[in-house]
Amino acid sequence: MDFIKQNHRNESGIVYVLSKRDCDAVAQELEAQGVSAQLYHARKGKKEKNEAYDSWMQSRTHVIVATVAFGMGINKQDVRFVIHKELAMSIEGYVQESGRVGRDGKKATCLLLYSFDDYQTVVKMIHRSRDKSEEALKAEMNSARAMLGYASGLRYCRHTTLATWFGEDDLLPCAHNCDTCMRKPRAPHDTDVTQMTRAIIRAVRSAQLKGVNITALQLPSLLRGSTAVKLMAKGIQDVQEYGSLKGNPFWSMERLQKLIIFLIVQEVLELFVIVKNDLAVCYVQHGRVSDTVAERCLRIVWPEK
């Protein structure tokens, strides 16, 4: 909210959210903060959606808060900002949605906010549809994983990263238009995490063999020997590598969580979804290249900075 009020007060913009519930909440909060806002999602009636759209197009409303249902055919020239409050569902969707900003050639802003929880939400949404082919499911998961890599990456130009995804390998860095290019230059820092990655693979495989489902955020706790009642009740103490990093100052919880996100992006690990009593939970399992890493045929180098 502060970003809009401080940088784009009384200017046209779009805030994208993942859920209809968030759509309602964000629009209400903007209005409460004195920012004129309308909401747009699939559960709104056609008349309501048309009224919201017309009000925004004619600049009577400054901000439209929307799910991915909003976007086709939009050609408003003076959109000064597009904010993704959570991770976009795909690289393709992100490019399309962020591409609605600054069509008049004037300065505009794209802001992407994300957490790993967003990625888990996206994975659940992808798996929610039961009529997808295996090929379609794989393609959506690949794009969502690429979106996670884009959001969590801190080294490479955002423009060239997106261009590479679409097969354009000869685009030069933007130099000053994205956060990574604007950041003060510093020496790259790569860490060889091959041995740690193999330990993580052993832990995940051991957990699967013992029927212990662990989330990506519980995995660091397992490695650091957590004695939390909830985790002990799952049987993590019987899993290989349990407590192997206990007291290790180098591999803190935060550092391990960042590494696990990187390993998901690299397809060493992946998420799967279990639905129980209408509650969907993402758990971690070994990914496409885990065997190659475990068999000492592939090194894993982590570009931390």
Side-chain angles (χ1 to χ4, degrees):
M1 308 306 167
D2 289 341
F3 173 82
I4 295 174
K5 290 167 66 177
Q6 292 171 11
N7 299 282
H8 296 287
R9 180 178 287 276
N10 298 329
E11 294 182 332
S12 291
I14 308 171
V15 178
Y16 281 105
V17 296
L18 285 174
S19 71
K20 301 173 186 69
R21 181 178 60 188
D22 275 354
C23 199
D24 295 339
V26 171
Q28 289 174 14
E29 188 173 349
L30 283 169
E31 285 285 344
Q33 295 288 330
V35 178
S36 62
Q38 293 273 3
L39 54 90
Y40 190 109
H41 57 66
R43 285 186 184 169
K44 286 292 180 182
K46 184 176 180 180
K47 181 181 178 182
E48 289 177 294
K49 288 191 287 189
N50 286 340
E51 288 175 350
Y53 176 78
D54 290 342
S55 178
W56 180 71
M57 285 293 292
Q58 295 166 23
S59 297
R60 297 195 306 273
T61 295
H62 291 125
V63 181
I64 196 95
V65 184
T67 61
V68 293
F70 180 75
M72 296 303 290
I74 291 176
N75 192 25
K76 184 171 171 60
Q77 297 293 304
D78 63 343
V79 178
R80 296 272 67 82
F81 63 92
V82 169
I83 298 173
H84 284 80
K85 183 178 172 290
E86 295 108 356
L87 194 71
M89 288 195 65
S90 68
I91 286 281
E92 292 83 359
Y94 176 73
V95 169
Q96 186 180 63
E97 291 152 12
S98 60
R100 296 182 177 118
V101 72
R103 292 187 176 182
D104 55 5
K106 297 179 182 178
K107 186 176 179 180
T109 306
C110 290
L111 177 65
L112 169 65
L113 307 174
Y114 99 102
S115 71
F116 184 70
D117 279 346
D118 298 339
Y119 177 68
Q120 295 188 104
T121 298
V122 168
V123 170
K124 293 173 196 175
M125 292 171 73
I126 290 172
H127 282 80
R128 189 175 297 160
S129 176
R130 299 179 181 178
D131 57 355
K132 286 177 185 167
S133 67
E134 197 67 31
E135 185 177 347
L137 183 65
K138 182 179 178 181
E140 288 186 30
M141 285 298 295
N142 284 342
S143 190
R145 186 168 49 249
M147 191 65 225
L148 176 65
Y150 174 82
S152 60
L154 296 175
R155 180 179 297 182
Y156 304 109
C157 172
R158 304 292 180 188
H159 294 254
T160 56
T161 300
L162 292 174
T164 299
W165 175 257
F166 290 100
E168 300 177 26
D169 298 324
D170 57 350
L171 189 68
L172 294 174
C174 70
H176 63 278
N177 286 322
C178 75
D179 62 313
T180 50
C181 288
M182 292 173 67
R183 193 176 293 120
K184 185 178 179 180
R186 55 186 176 181
H189 178 64
D190 293 337
T191 305
D192 189 324
V193 292
T194 307
Q195 295 304 320
M196 177 53 58
T197 300
R198 288 174 183 153
I200 290 172
I201 292 170
R202 286 194 295 271
V204 171
R205 285 181 171 172
S206 174
Q208 287 183 286
L209 287 171
K210 295 179 182 297
V212 178
N213 291 322
I214 52 175
T215 70
L217 297 181
Q218 289 172 343
L219 186 51
S221 297
L222 183 156
L223 295 166
R224 290 185 57 84
S226 171
T227 56
V229 174
K230 182 179 178 180
L231 296 179
M232 297 294 279
K234 291 168 71 80
I236 66 165
Q237 66 274 22
D238 299 323
V239 174
Q240 189 176 355
E241 300 295 337
Y242 170 74
S244 61
L245 298 178
K246 188 172 184 178
N248 187 319
F250 183 79
W251 288 109
S252 64
M253 286 288 291
E254 181 182 5
R255 192 183 185 88
L256 282 169
Q257 286 170 356
K258 289 179 179 178
L259 175 59
I260 287 165
I261 291 172
F262 173 71
L263 295 180
I264 290 172
V265 172
Q266 299 301 312
E267 297 185 75
V268 176
L269 302 175
E270 67 180 24
L271 301 185
F272 69 100
V273 180
I274 291 179
V275 180
K276 186 175 181 180
N277 297 326
D278 293 326
L279 177 65
V281 180
C282 288
Y283 296 104
V284 68
Q285 64 183 2
H286 58 87
R288 183 180 63 85
V289 302
S290 62
D291 287 346
T292 309
V293 178
E295 293 166 5
R296 303 177 183 274
C297 299
L298 182 66
R299 287 176 64 236
I300 300 296
V301 178
W302 181 21
E304 287 192 75
K305 298 178 182 177

